[in-house]
Each structure stands twice: as C-alpha cells, then as structure tokens.
Amino acid sequence: MPYDITLIDFSKQEQKAPDYLKLNPNGKIPTICDRAEGRAIFESGAILWHLATKYGAFLPTDPAAQSEVMQWLFFQVGHVGPMMGQAMYFQRILAAHGNEQPFSINRYVKESRRLLEVLDTRLEGRDWLAADQYTIADMATYPWARAYVWAVVDIDGLRNLRSWFDRLDARPMVQKALTIPKAQPQFWDAREDATEFLKENAARFAGDAKA
Ligand SMILES: N[C@@H](CCC(=O)N[C@@H](CS)C(=O)NCC(=O)O)C(=O)O
C-alpha cells in the first residue's frame, strides 16, 4: 500500500509535541495515520494488527492460530522490546553520557538474554514464531532481537535464533524495510564502526540522560 513517512526528531522532542500527542498520547514512535479511515493508531503491535486485519495478510484467521500469533506479538511488546530497549539505553545512551549504572546494565542484559533464550527454545524445530507461517509476530520481534549487537547482548549458542535471523534477513522486503527511513547497519552488524553513530544517538537523547 502507498504510504509516506514523517520523521520525528527526538533531539527536538517532537515526539512530545502537542500535535503529535493528539495522535499518540504516549509520545513515542511509531504512529500511523490511516487517512482512508481518518484515524491514527499507536503502539506497534496494534498497528501491525490493524494492517494485518485490514489487508488480510500475515495473520491467520483460524482462532487458535491467531491466538498463537497474538501471544508471541504480546510477548514482544511486553518483554523483548522493553527489556532490550533498557539494555540499549543504559549501555549506549546513559553510559555514553558518563553515567554508568552497572546494576541496571546487568539486570537488563541478563533479562534480555533470557528472553532471547525463550525465543530460541520456541524456534526449535520451527521456522517461524507462531502458526507455522511468517506473521506479524515475526515482523515485530525481529527488529529488536536482531539488534542484539546494539543492545550488547550475546546470542552465543542460540542456533535456532540465528537461523531465524538468517531466514528473515533473506527476505527482500525485510532488507528493504531496514533502509527506511535510512539504513542503520550499526544496529545489526558488529563489523560496522559505530563510533559516529554512538555519538549521534547519544546526542539525540542528551536531555533525557541529563534529567
Ligand atoms: N510499546 C511501544 C514502544 C515504543 C517506543 O518505546 N518507542 C521509542 C523508540 S523505540 C520512543 O519513541 N522513544 C522516545 C521517547 O521515549 O521519548 C511500541 O511498541 O510501539
């Protein structure tokens, strides 16, 4: 479907601007505006569910299969995203501002690793997280889990997870999505020099880190 993108600049706190809060009361990205329906939708899981049901794709209609997809989708929005987000925040942002919190780093890195182990166990003998097919649960979980490099969480020994990354990496539309709004390979690729990226990213959250 055709769409256009509006970049929300965190360094200017655009995500907390009054006009944006009308679309997303929580002041975070992402948000979509479905112009045909004249409404905004926030929370990535709800956005994926909206698109999947609207266009009849990547979400089975059989109730048991759909429930399985929703369980793994909720597992992502309730666990993987928040924990890996905190692992990133404490290591890549707060520590980069000279405020290192070893207790928090340890807590979030350990919990992130545990969650990646849960995914690895789930993927034993399976290609996809739910319903034996590629669904919105895989789409939602991949960007966070795949950014283990940036979250400084290791995936040593998690071979099912690694194979699932490979399967997703091989999908042309996944590769395309990774360039939108721009390619940021430092999130995924340990060989990339992250020095500049680290500075830019930390600067984006400078106000937050000071507070
Ligand atoms: N549960 C939300 C999480 C959204 C979220 O945490 N977004 C972050 C970026 S990944 C954000 O907008 N941070 C800006 C801020 O906290 O001000 C979702 O899945 O949509």
Side-chain angles (χ1 to χ4, degrees):
M1 301 305 296
Y3 64 91
D4 52 69
I5 295 172
T6 304
L7 215 70
I8 303 298
D9 187 342
F10 288 174
S11 66
K12 297 189 184 137
Q13 287 287 297
E14 285 179 353
Q15 76 276 25
K16 301 290 189 284
D19 277 354
Y20 187 77
L21 291 177
K22 286 182 197 151
L23 308 175
N24 183 331
N26 194 30
K28 305 235 175 204
I29 61 163
T31 303
I32 65 165
C33 297
D34 185 328
R35 294 195 186 103
E37 296 188 20
R39 62 195 178 95
I41 299 138
F42 70 101
E43 279 297 321
S44 58
I47 291 170
L48 286 167
W49 180 83
H50 171 78
L51 295 172
T53 49
K54 181 166 175 151
Y55 298 110
F58 305 115
L59 180 64
T61 50
D62 168 72
Q66 187 170 114
S67 161
E68 208 176 291
V69 174
M70 297 310 273
Q71 289 167 58
W72 288 97
L73 181 61
F74 276 65
F75 176 77
Q76 145 56 27
V77 295
H79 295 282
V80 181
M83 293 302 118
M84 291 192 71
Q86 295 303 325
M88 288 175 196
Y89 180 81
F90 280 99
Q91 296 181 91
R92 300 297 197 174
I93 297 168
L94 212 58
H97 283 279
N99 186 352
E100 191 152 345
Q101 302 282 341
F103 178 88
S104 306
I105 292 175
N106 185 43
R107 176 180 166 84
Y108 291 118
V109 167
K110 256 171 79 180
E111 180 63 359
S112 299
R113 166 74 196 198
R114 192 191 66 80
L115 293 167
L116 294 180
E117 287 172 6
V118 172
L119 290 175
D120 187 70
T121 303
R122 171 66 182 173
L123 289 163
E124 178 73 44
R126 282 191 176 82
D127 281 353
W128 307 111
L129 286 177
D132 293 323
Q133 55 191 286
Y134 176 57
T135 69
I136 56 173
D138 301 288
M139 287 181 198
T141 311
Y142 168 84
W144 281 105
R146 187 70 179 81
Y148 68 91
V149 169
W150 187 248
V152 203
V153 178
D154 81 76
I155 60 158
D156 296 351
L158 305 185
R159 58 181 177 81
N160 302 318
L161 188 70
R162 182 77 259 175
S163 309
W164 178 71
F165 288 157
D166 292 343
R167 270 189 294 286
L168 280 147
D169 288 348
R171 296 180 74 96
M173 294 310 268
V174 168
Q175 285 308 318
K176 185 177 172 196
L178 293 178
T179 66
I180 299 169
K182 62 177 179 183
Q184 294 179 315
Q186 292 85 351
F187 278 133
W188 329 103
D189 192 343
R191 293 163 307 182
E192 285 288 329
D193 176 11
T195 323
E196 268 313 298
F197 186 69
L198 183 59
K199 262 195 244 154
E200 269 172 41
N201 193 59
R204 221 172 285 148
F205 289 92
D208 195 25
K210 257 185 235 134

